Every structure is written in C-alpha cells, then in structure tokens.
Amino acid sequence: MISDPDMPAKVVREIASFCAQANVRVKTLQGLADHQAGRTALSQMRDMRIEDLLGRQPVHLDLNEVRGLLRGQCVLVTGAGGSIGSELARQIASFVPAELVLLDHAENGLYYVHNELAALHPGVPVHPVICDVKDAEGVERVLARFRPSVVFHAAAHKHVPLLEANPREAVLNNVVGTRHLVRAADRHGVSKFVLISTDKAVNPTSVMGASKRVCEMLLQSRSQRSRTRFVAVRFGNVLGSDGSVIPLFQRQLERGGPITVTHPEARRYFMTIPEAVRLVLQAAAMGRGGDVLLLDMGEQVRIVDLARQLIRMAGLHEGEDIEIVFTGLRPGEKLCEELHSDTERTRITRHERILVWELDARDEESLLNEVTELEALAHEGNPGAIKRQLRRLVPEYAEPSHEVLEAAPKTPVVELPAATAPRAGVPSQTWQATTRSLVESFVASLLVAISLPIWVALWIEARSSGHKSPLIRENRIGASRRRDQRRSTPTEMPIERRSIERRTQDLKGVAIRCARFRVDLGPVGRWVAHHHLETLPWLLNVMRCEMALVGPRPEREEQVLRWRLLLPSYDRRFSVLPGVTGLAQISGLPDADAEGITRRLHYDLHYVEHRSLLLDLRTMTRTAALVLRAEDPPPMRPMLAATPLEERASAPAAGDEASAQSRPAPYPSSSATAVKGVTR
C-alpha cells in the first residue's frame, strides 16, 4: 500500500517493479496521481494506475497570481467539451470567476461539462455556447455579448493521422479559427489570450504540427501592436485524453488484442490532464505578450513500455494472453518528439516547470496574406497545394521519410516496471504434454468409433421427431487463457458476454464450443441419459485438443461468474484442460446448491494438485463402471478442508440446524484419505 502522495514517481516505479517480480499487488490511495487533492480515505483505495508511474514532482501554483488573473473576471474557454478544455473549465471555476463561458461546436461534451460545473459551483454563472470557431460571425457575436477578459483557446483538431488525410479541416479549424478568435479578442479588448499549443509544432513533420505553428505565429505577430497579451503554451501528450494512446490500448485489451504500437523505439512526452492544466494556468498568469511558453514534460516514455505496463496491470501476460504488434510509423508521425528547435532561444522563468522560448515574430501583414492564400487553397481542397503553402509559411515543416529500422536518439527515458520484453523461444507445452494430448485424441477417436451406433440411432430419432440434429450446441468455459495466445484461431461462434470487462477479468478460461445429446426425443435419448452418455460428443473436443479425457468439467458462463465470486479458489480449476469425466463428475454430488458446488470444487482442486496417469486411469475405470451398470454414482467423501468463505457459502440458515447436523463431518485434509475415497 502506497499512501504517501509526495513520493517521487521513480520510487513508485521501483516499488512496483520489485512487487511485480514477487507477484505482489500494489495499491494506492486517492491523491497519489492528483497531488492537489489533499485528502485521502481508506475507502478510496485503488489499484496502481499508469499515471502513478509517470507522475513527476507536484505542481505548486502561485495561487495569488492565478487568482489575480481569474477571480472576478469573465473567462471564455473554447473547446470546453474536450479533455483539456473541460479540465480548464473545472479548475477555472474553482477560482470563482465572475462568469465562465464554455464554447464548443460539439453539444454532447458541452452538455456534460456544463451540468457538472453548474452542480459543483452554483455560485459561478456558467454559460454554454454552441459555436464553431470557423464561423467568424458567430465568434464575433460571442465576444461582443460576453466581453471576456481572459480567453483560453483549446479548440483544435489534434489527431495527426486524421489531419494528414484531411489537411483542409486542419487549416480551416486550427489556423482560420484561431485567426477569427485573435481578431475578435483584439477588437473587444480581451486582456489575455492563451493558446493551447503542442510540442508537435517544433520542427513539424505533420499537417497538425505545422498548423499549430502557424497559430503561434498569428499570436506573435498580432501581439506587436495589440494591447491584448497573446500567449502560447506548448506541451506534449496527456494521459487519458480522448486522443491519447492509453484509451486506445485499453480498448484493444478489452477486445482481447492485439495491441498495436507503431515502432519499438517510438517515444513521447506524457503528462496527466490536471497537471498540464495547472501549469497552463500558471503560465497564463506569468506570460507576457508574444511569449511561447513550454511546460517541463520530464523524460520521454517508450510507447511499447506503456503497452506492456497496461498488459501487466490487467493481469495478463504478453505473448500468452495478448500480443503486441508493430505497425510502423504513420504519416506525419515522428519517432521522438522535440520540445524546441535549434533556432529558438530559451529563457528561464520564476517557475521551475515553465520555460520561455524566444521566437522572432513575423510581419503581420505578410503573414496574414499568406494565411489568406492558405485558406483559399483549403476551400479548394487540394491536399498537395495545402501542404506546399504550409511549407512556405513554416520553412522547417518537412514530411518524414521513415526507415524500416530507424534508430532512436540517445535521450533518457522513463523505465517502467514492465519495460522488459518477455523471453522468446519458450515452448508453450512440453513434449510430455504433447504426447499425452495425442494419446488422448487417439483414445477419443476410438471411443467415438465404438459409439457410432448410438450416434446413428439418435440421429434417426431426431429426424423422426422433426429436428435436424440430435445435438444441442453450447458455449462452456475451459482452461485458462494463459495456456496459449487467445484467439489464435477463429472460433466457430464467439461467446456472448454482457460487458467487455467480463472478457478480460471475470471469465478466467477460454470459450469452448461444445455439444451434448438431446435426451428428450424418445426411448434412445432416455437410454442415453440413463447410462450418463449425454456428454459423449465432448469426445470431439478431446480430438481437437480443446479438452482432456479427465479433468474438471467445463462450466457454463453464468455459473463461472456466479461461483468465482463466492469461492476464492474457484479460478484454480481452470489451470488444466477440462475433462469429459473427472473426480467431481463421478462423485455423485449435486451442482445446484452452494454445498454441492463447494464439494465438487474440492475434487477438482485435488485433481489439479495431484494430477497423474494413475489417477486418470482410476477415474476412467470408475466412469466406465458407472456407464455400463447404468447406476447413479454413490456420494464420495470430500477431499479437502473448506476455507472460511466456502464454509459460509455452504452454511445452513439459522432455522436449519437439524439438517446441518445430518450433514457429513468436516473435510479431512489427508490426501491419502482422498485417494481411498476415489478407489472405493
């Protein structure tokens, strides 16, 4: 348990690494990732998150300076429905502005953030405005109506590959929209205008990065003759934003993989959203006209390390449960991001996490003429012409030519606990297991051949009853998915699940497509049921190496979800292949109540722990005797001692003392007694 919110992330990573080697879980208290929370509670205990491993030193705000910028002022936030814009609105509202105007063209995000702020800050007037920054008249009316003193411009298209395919929208939304806002802010006497920029504007290789650099140039050129202080703030990727790689990896994990990474050496700077917004507010309070401020992003992180860390946090294993696939860098992407170019001069500020890059401002008239030409080309929609004009505006803009094995620069990176790749070349099963599987497949084929008359008789009975097949097909849960890569081959019919979370967490085994005989169609079916042969088609699964002859019974999905929450050891039964027969199947115990399930689990766990050829032969001999004699299996003595939770699961109610006294004695723990029960 990590409860110190001031613990450096490097120490947290070391603790997580040692605990991972020892197979020990790590939990934290609320506030470790958000250092401004100040309060923790045991009820807020949670598992380690990726932001806990990437966090840096806490961001200390000069509250008086930020309060002086925002308190009692009318503040406008564009892109307020997005990840950065909504967090800006939340933190700005805590400083009690006179009015808070939320502007966005997407109504859903705007609706949610407006409702949230109205509930949390009833004393702050919050105005939701649906408007597109590309609409010059609409922007003009908004600023004329509300007369904001401070504008935070977070509205922008930010997805690099999408904007490479749609450069027209990048120009119209990012460049032209920013020009409309800059002109309106200057006309209506805005005191400070803050542009949310990106590290991709440094030596841009993408349309998105070049468009954001043009936005910075528009602010710098206008600041030379305006009373409005125009400030741009650059920072890198933020964890958890809508366009971040983390939600993408999480969705791929939920689908069962694979996780796609562009390049094994691809690196990015990451910050948490609250951390980035706090620094933006501090930079906004400090910035002077024409400044381009840069947030300290710490060290870069390998994208593949993030993927491996998320796999480990999900309780999975790379190469066994899920694969990582390298797809190559996409158009416009860099191998590593840069924070400044060689032509930019740095200047420190009084805040340790904020730097100023001094850039030469262009003449506004010539810049606006070139932007007008760019806008005309965007309306024509010619991607090649748009990129050529962007290259004229931003000479350092150059489209990358990716090599297959491009070398990464020697820069420090954050070493996450799961950064080490899994060892390759480890066989998934030994030769003994392979031999056993082949022998069981042969035996299953022989049994299917012997039982062929039963198959034919049931097929005839089914056809005469109007059914196409004597089989009932169903999905059951078999061995743990960690036995082999999930979904290495397509399944005939995917298992239905009520939620995505159940796919990776609740169901501990893979779905097996099974079949059993219909026993309600006539005398042949009743004879099959009397001789306990309704699961004879499971031999086909043995022939496909999906099941074994002896092992725990493959369970239905709803039963797995029900009993694994009640019986702590339930998941262990999935560590071996399910069987056509087994100790629990021949025990004669019911599977409809807690006591029967608990005792059947004890037989399954005994088999898992004492699995041997001798035990398999004894079990199959006992099964053959039951089938040939057509008798119900007599109750067998329980195998193992019950855990406290299992005793509670099977404990009688207060009024059932008489029935409780008639139940068998507590389970003997001796394995010798267990084997005697099997042989008897």
Side-chain angles (χ1 to χ4, degrees):
M1 169 67 69
I2 300 177
S3 60
D4 183 5
D6 296 323
M7 181 176 292
K10 183 177 181 181
V11 178
V12 175
R13 289 194 292 269
E14 291 177 354
I15 294 173
S17 178
F18 287 125
C19 290
Q21 296 174 21
N23 198 25
V24 174
R25 296 180 66 184
V26 183
K27 287 185 175 288
T28 67
L29 291 178
Q30 190 75 17
L32 187 61
D34 185 3
H35 297 281
Q36 299 297 313
R39 293 194 301 260
T40 59
L42 192 59
S43 60
Q44 297 175 324
M45 181 177 65
R46 58 171 173 79
D47 289 327
M48 182 77 68
R49 294 176 183 168
I50 194 70
E51 53 264 35
D52 300 326
L53 301 173
L54 297 178
R56 284 161 293 278
Q57 294 298 321
V59 177
H60 299 292
L61 293 180
D62 185 342
L63 296 177
N64 292 330
E65 190 173 23
V66 177
R67 189 179 297 112
L69 173 69
L70 301 175
R71 183 181 289 274
Q73 304 295 324
C74 179
V75 182
L76 168 66
V77 179
T78 70
S83 304
I84 298 295
S86 60
E87 183 62 24
L88 270 170
R90 293 184 189 98
Q91 296 196 24
I92 290 171
S94 66
F95 287 95
V96 195
E99 290 181 284
L100 180 56
V101 183
L102 308 178
L103 185 146
D104 205 304
H105 76 285
E107 62 176 2
N108 288 337
L110 187 63
Y111 169 80
Y112 291 127
V113 70
H114 172 248
N115 278 357
E116 177 186 346
L117 295 180
L120 295 178
H121 303 278
V124 177
V126 181
H127 307 285
V129 177
I130 299 177
C131 178
D132 196 328
V133 294
K134 293 182 292 186
D135 179 8
E137 182 180 355
V139 169
E140 182 72 24
R141 290 183 179 276
V142 170
L143 270 77
R145 173 187 172 188
F146 293 102
R147 295 281 180 174
S149 301
V150 183
V151 174
F152 288 90
H153 180 32
H157 289 325
K158 305 179 181 69
H159 293 269
V160 171
L162 287 180
L163 296 187
E164 287 299 308
N166 301 275
R168 176 182 184 274
E169 294 304 314
V171 170
L172 294 179
N173 191 79
N174 294 0
V175 178
V176 177
T178 300
R179 186 190 64 187
H180 294 336
L181 278 165
V182 167
R183 287 176 172 175
D186 185 29
R187 261 194 305 271
H188 294 284
V190 172
S191 175
K192 181 162 286 188
F193 185 104
V194 182
L195 168 70
I196 306 300
S197 189
T198 172
D199 56 356
K200 295 176 177 60
V202 181
N203 293 328
T205 59
S206 63
V207 171
M208 191 280 261
S211 68
K212 296 299 284 186
R213 178 67 190 114
V214 175
C215 295
E216 294 177 353
M217 295 164 63
L218 288 171
L219 266 67
Q220 289 180 291
S221 61
R222 178 55 63 102
S223 67
Q224 298 177 92
R225 62 177 186 83
S226 174
R227 290 183 298 176
T228 301
R229 288 175 291 172
F230 291 97
V231 177
V233 181
R234 289 179 183 172
F235 57 90
N237 296 8
V238 289
L239 293 170
S241 67
D242 296 335
S244 173
V245 71
I246 303 297
L248 171 63
F249 287 166
Q250 290 170 338
R251 288 192 294 270
Q252 291 174 339
L253 275 171
E254 292 166 353
R255 291 197 300 265
I259 289 183
T260 56
V261 178
T262 56
H263 192 284
E265 288 297 329
R267 305 174 184 182
R268 296 292 182 268
Y269 293 99
F270 285 97
M271 302 180 79
T272 64
I273 296 178
E275 178 187 22
V277 168
R278 283 194 290 271
L279 285 172
V280 166
L281 293 179
Q282 184 66 69
M286 295 169 48
R288 300 178 300 180
D291 284 346
V292 176
L293 301 171
L294 174 68
L295 307 186
D296 175 21
M297 301 294 298
E299 298 176 342
Q300 297 189 74
V301 181
R302 291 190 188 92
I303 303 299
V304 67
D305 292 349
L306 277 179
R308 288 177 177 139
Q309 190 64 46
L310 288 172
I311 290 173
R312 177 174 292 182
M313 287 181 169
L316 306 176
H317 292 273
E318 180 189 353
E320 298 178 8
D321 307 317
I322 198 165
E323 296 287 349
I324 294 179
V325 177
F326 296 103
T327 60
L329 292 172
R330 296 171 296 182
E333 285 189 325
K334 294 181 181 179
L335 190 64
C336 301
E337 298 294 352
E338 303 168 90
L339 295 180
H340 61 90
S341 65
D342 296 334
T343 61
E344 298 174 337
R345 299 179 299 276
T346 180
R347 175 165 53 87
I348 62 173
T349 67
R350 60 181 179 273
H351 196 283
E352 58 187 12
R353 301 282 300 277
I354 300 175
L355 299 175
V356 177
W357 300 110
E358 297 180 343
L359 304 170
D360 296 329
R362 283 194 53 180
D363 176 69
E364 186 180 22
E365 183 177 357
S366 63
L367 176 64
L368 289 177
N369 290 335
E370 293 185 18
V371 169
T372 301
E373 294 179 21
L374 178 64
E375 182 182 9
L377 293 172
H379 283 295
E380 293 176 5
N382 187 332
I386 293 173
K387 292 182 179 180
R388 286 192 295 271
Q389 182 65 14
L390 278 174
R391 202 170 291 115
R392 286 181 55 194
L393 278 162
V394 186
E396 60 269 26
Y397 167 46
E399 296 184 67
S401 57
H402 300 306
E403 299 294 335
V404 177
L405 293 176
E406 186 175 351
K410 295 182 179 180
T411 55
V413 296
V414 174
E415 293 292 343
L416 295 176
T420 305
R423 291 179 298 175
V426 179
S428 60
Q429 54 182 347
T430 63
W431 67 269
Q432 295 97 329
T434 303
T435 303
R436 181 189 183 112
S437 178
L438 292 175
V439 171
E440 290 191 347
S441 297
F442 173 76
V443 174
S445 303
L446 187 61
L447 293 175
V448 169
I450 295 173
S451 62
L452 192 59
I454 300 177
W455 291 74
V456 174
L458 284 171
W459 183 82
I460 295 174
E461 187 175 70
R463 299 293 292 183
S464 62
S465 301
H467 294 81
K468 294 183 179 180
S469 171
L471 300 177
I472 299 176
R473 302 187 181 276
E474 58 187 357
N475 286 318
R476 295 207 175 222
I477 307 302
S480 167
R481 64 170 66 94
R482 293 182 181 175
R483 182 178 179 88
D484 286 302
Q485 165 64 19
R486 291 185 67 205
R487 300 184 184 178
S488 56
T489 58
T491 57
E492 179 182 350
M493 179 178 179
I495 186 170
E496 295 182 0
R497 299 181 173 92
R498 288 188 293 270
S499 69
I500 293 177
E501 183 183 14
R502 283 167 48 185
R503 180 180 299 151
T504 56
Q505 295 180 2
D506 292 346
L507 296 176
K508 296 301 179 181
V510 295
I512 300 176
R513 187 64 171 161
C514 300
R516 55 186 173 85
F517 285 136
R518 294 178 179 271
V519 295
D520 57 347
L521 300 180
V524 179
R526 290 192 292 271
W527 181 90
V528 167
H530 184 64
H531 286 266
H532 313 289
L533 292 174
E534 61 269 18
T535 58
L536 192 64
W538 287 2
L539 292 172
L540 301 177
N541 297 92
V542 179
M543 296 169 59
R544 295 195 294 264
C545 299
E546 297 174 340
M547 292 177 59
L549 291 175
V550 180
R553 184 180 67 178
E555 298 289 0
R556 291 185 177 87
E557 174 192 358
E558 58 272 12
Q559 190 161 354
V560 174
L561 294 174
R562 176 185 178 188
W563 293 111
R564 70 175 296 269
L565 298 176
L566 192 59
L567 305 176
S569 303
Y570 193 78
D571 295 342
R572 290 167 52 199
R573 69 187 303 279
F574 297 105
S575 59
V576 298
L577 284 176
V580 178
T581 185
L583 298 182
Q585 290 92 308
I586 64 175
S587 65
L589 294 170
D591 60 356
D593 57 6
E595 182 180 7
I597 288 290
T598 302
R599 294 187 175 183
R600 291 174 68 94
L601 174 63
H602 293 155
Y603 286 111
D604 288 338
L605 296 183
H606 177 84
Y607 176 79
V608 170
E609 296 172 359
H610 302 88
R611 188 183 183 198
S612 66
L613 181 59
L614 178 60
L615 187 57
D616 285 359
L617 290 175
R618 287 177 172 174
T619 305
M620 287 190 289
T621 302
R622 177 62 174 158
T623 302
L626 293 175
V627 171
L628 295 176
R629 296 175 186 172
E631 61 181 13
D632 292 330
M636 294 169 57
R637 297 181 64 181
M639 313 298 298
L640 303 172
T643 64
L645 278 179
E646 291 160 353
E647 289 176 349
R648 287 200 297 271
S650 59
D656 295 338
E657 296 179 0
S659 61
Q661 292 175 359
S662 63
R663 291 175 180 165
Y667 309 146
S669 59
S670 170
S671 59
T673 305
V675 175
K676 290 180 182 178
V678 176
T679 57
R680 186 166 61 247

